[in-house]
Amino acid sequence: TEAKTAVSEAGLSAEKQKVSASYSYNLSTAEGSVAQETYKAAIKQLQEAVDDAQEAVDTSASLINYYQEQIDAGVDLSASLTEEQKNYDKLYTKLVAAKNNYTTKSIEAEKTLKEAELSAKNASSQYSVDVSGADNDITDAKDTLSDAEEELEAFEAAIGDDGTIYAEYTGTI
């Protein structure tokens, strides 16, 4: 009965393993199919952040030049110039951060792309390996059950109808 239980457990485990393998296969192929678009979207978003920061810095620099020209022409805009210079410094810091973010995040996005493509490429092979392993567990359990049944038959053959164990040889055991 233990061997029969082991076969049942191996069957259930194999089914669970096959469901898991199927899920992994589907997930890998799905991620692979959208990997390029996901990568492009991530790069586009990072580039837009850099472009937006650059535009803000350029606008601020233009204002600084305008205020300086007005001051040179005799208009008192020194307070506005000081305020815009502080704004420029903050915007420039944001630009540097956006560029740094682009550099690091684009590398991460490329890594994710390559991993998804590789996973999708190998999904079928991985599925086969996972399912094969599950089938091997069932085969092993069935072999164990078969061996146990053969041993039980041999044992029962050695027992007489009266419950006495008969041996091939005589003597004291």
Side-chain angles (χ1 to χ4, degrees), residues 19-120:
V19 167
S20 179
S22 179
Y23 172 78
S24 293
Y25 172 81
N26 291 338
L27 181 62
S28 293
T29 55
E31 286 177 344
S33 70
V34 298
Q36 190 67 38
E37 291 80 16
T38 302
Y39 172 77
K40 287 178 182 177
I43 295 300
K44 182 179 179 185
Q45 186 176 20
L46 292 167
Q47 186 61 52
E48 286 175 356
V50 170
D51 292 346
D52 291 347
Q54 183 66 58
E55 185 179 328
V57 166
D58 292 346
T59 301
S60 180
S62 294
L63 275 175
I64 290 172
N65 287 336
Y66 171 75
Y67 292 146
Q68 189 62 51
E69 288 172 1
Q70 292 299 312
I71 290 171
D72 292 346
V75 180
D76 186 18
L77 295 175
S78 57
S80 296
L81 176 63
T82 302
E83 185 179 322
E84 192 57 40
Q85 285 173 331
K86 289 178 185 176
N87 185 43
Y88 176 87
D89 291 341
K90 290 177 188 176
L91 293 172
Y92 185 78
T93 300
K94 288 182 181 182
L95 173 62
V96 170
K99 286 180 176 180
N100 290 341
N101 196 35
Y102 179 90
T103 301
T104 57
K105 299 290 184 183
S106 64
I107 292 169
E108 289 176 21
E110 184 176 6
K111 176 183 177 255
T112 301
L113 168 67
K114 299 290 185 195
E115 287 173 345
E117 289 175 339
L118 181 63
S119 182

Side-chain angles (χ1 to χ4, degrees), residues 142-157:
K142 286 182 178 178
D143 289 345
T144 301
L145 175 60
S146 179
D147 292 346
E149 287 172 343
E150 289 173 9
E151 290 175 13
L152 179 61
E153 285 177 21
F155 177 75
E156 288 175 344

Side-chain angles (χ1 to χ4, degrees), residues 120-143:
K121 179 181 174 185
N122 294 327
S124 182
S125 298
Q126 185 61 47
Y127 175 80
S128 296
V129 168
D130 292 345
V131 169
S132 164
D135 291 339
N136 289 342
D137 291 345
I138 292 174
T139 302
D140 291 346
K142 286 182 178 178
D143 289 345

Side-chain angles (χ1 to χ4, degrees), residues 153-172:
E153 285 177 21
F155 177 75
E156 288 175 344
I159 298 177
D161 293 335
D162 59 357
T164 304
I165 299 175
Y166 295 101
E168 191 175 325
Y169 303 100
T170 60
T172 305

